[in-house]
C-alpha cells in the first residue's frame, strides 16, 4: 500500500467560500450536485496552488466532501483540478457526536499521513481521529468558511508535509 501522504479537500467553506461578497479573485458558478442546484463562489487560483502543493510534497489530492463524485464534474474543472479520488464521506456510521465525514476518512487513510482542509472539524473530531488504530500523523487546517482557502493555509500544509519523516 502506498504510504504517500494525502491532501484531503473539502468544498463548501474551503473551495466554495461562504460569503455574499468574497472580493476579487472569486468567480460565481451554478453547479448541479446530487442533491440540487447550488450557486457557488470558486477561486481559479486554487487548482494550480493545490497541484503545486501536491507536486512539491509528493502527496496525493483526494476529495473529502459531501459533493462526493460530483466534485470531479462540477468543482474541479472550474478551478483547474484534474479528476481526483473521492472518499465516500456519506458512508459513515451515524455517530452524532462527531462530524459524519470523520469515520470514512479514518478508514480511507489506512495509516497514510494526511492534511485535511475543512471548515467544520472540532476538537472532538481531532480526538476521535487520534484514537483510531488506522490513523497516523495528520494535520487539520481549519479554513474559515467566510474566507475560504488562502495561500497561508496552503503554506501551513506545505510546511507540515515537508517536516514528515520520509516513509520507507
Ligand atoms: Mg465544509
Amino acid at each position: 500500500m502506498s504510504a504517500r501522504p494525502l491532501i484531503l479537500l473539502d468544498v463548501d467553506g474551503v473551495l466554495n467560500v461562504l460569503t455574499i461578497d468574497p472580493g476579487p479573485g472569486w468567480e460565481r458558478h451554478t453547479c448541479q450536485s446530487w442533491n440540487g442546484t447550488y450557486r457557488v463562489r470558486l477561486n481559479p487560483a486554487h487548482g494550480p496552488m493545490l497541484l503545486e502543493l501536491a507536486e512539491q510534497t509528493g502527496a496525493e489530492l483526494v476529495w473529502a466532501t459531501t459533493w462526493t463524485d460530483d466534485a470531479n464534474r462540477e468543482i474541479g474543472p472550474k478551478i483547474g483540478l484534474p479528476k481526483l479520488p473521492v472518499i465516500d464521506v456519506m458512508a459513515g456510521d451515524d455517530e452524532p457526536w462527531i462530524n459524519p465525514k470523520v469515520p470514512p476518512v479514518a478508514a480511507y487513510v489506512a495509516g497514510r499521513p494526511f492534511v485535511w482542509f475543512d471548515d467544520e472539524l472540532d476538537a472532538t473530531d481531532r480526538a476521535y481521529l487520534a484514537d483510531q488504530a488506522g490513523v497516523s500523523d495528520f494535520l487539520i487546517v481549519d479554513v474559515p468558511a467566510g474566507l475560504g482557502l488562502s495561500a497561508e493555509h496552503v503554506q501551513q500544509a506545505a510546511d507540515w508535509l515537508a517536516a514528515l519523516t520520509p516513509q520507507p
Side-chain angles (χ1 to χ4, degrees):
M1 181 173 292
S2 169
R4 279 176 72 197
L6 295 158
I7 301 166
L8 276 48
L9 299 176
D10 183 25
V11 172
D12 295 322
V14 174
L15 300 180
N16 171 29
V17 66
L18 303 183
T19 187
I20 297 295
D21 183 17
W26 297 84
E27 298 177 346
R28 292 165 188 258
H29 297 274
T30 300
C31 296
Q32 305 293 327
S33 91
W34 57 271
N35 65 344
T37 302
Y38 290 94
R39 298 184 67 179
V40 301
R41 292 167 178 82
L42 301 174
N43 186 334
H46 279 161
M49 199 186 290
L50 290 165
L51 287 172
E52 185 183 2
L53 174 66
E55 170 83 19
Q56 286 182 344
T57 59
E60 182 182 15
L61 294 162
V62 180
W63 293 115
T65 166
T66 55
W67 286 71
T68 59
D69 286 323
D70 295 335
N72 274 324
R73 188 189 67 236
E74 296 290 323
I75 305 295
K78 295 182 175 70
I79 59 172
L81 286 176
K83 192 172 193 291
L84 302 176
V86 177
I87 300 175
D88 185 3
V89 295
M90 309 299 278
D93 292 327
D94 191 16
E95 300 189 63
W97 58 91
I98 53 170
N99 186 300
K101 289 181 181 178
V102 169
V105 162
Y108 186 93
V109 297
R112 295 166 70 178
F114 63 97
V115 172
W116 190 356
F117 295 115
D118 202 282
D119 63 314
E120 289 190 316
L121 300 170
D122 63 17
T124 307
D125 299 317
R126 286 171 163 80
Y128 178 95
L129 279 171
D131 196 42
Q132 301 305 298
V135 173
S136 62
D137 295 335
F138 67 91
L139 174 71
I140 293 173
V141 178
D142 294 305
V143 176
L147 297 176
L149 185 71
S150 70
E152 288 72 26
H153 297 129
V154 173
Q155 187 60 50
Q156 200 181 331
D159 292 345
W160 186 84
L161 288 163
L164 279 178
T165 306
Q167 303 292 310

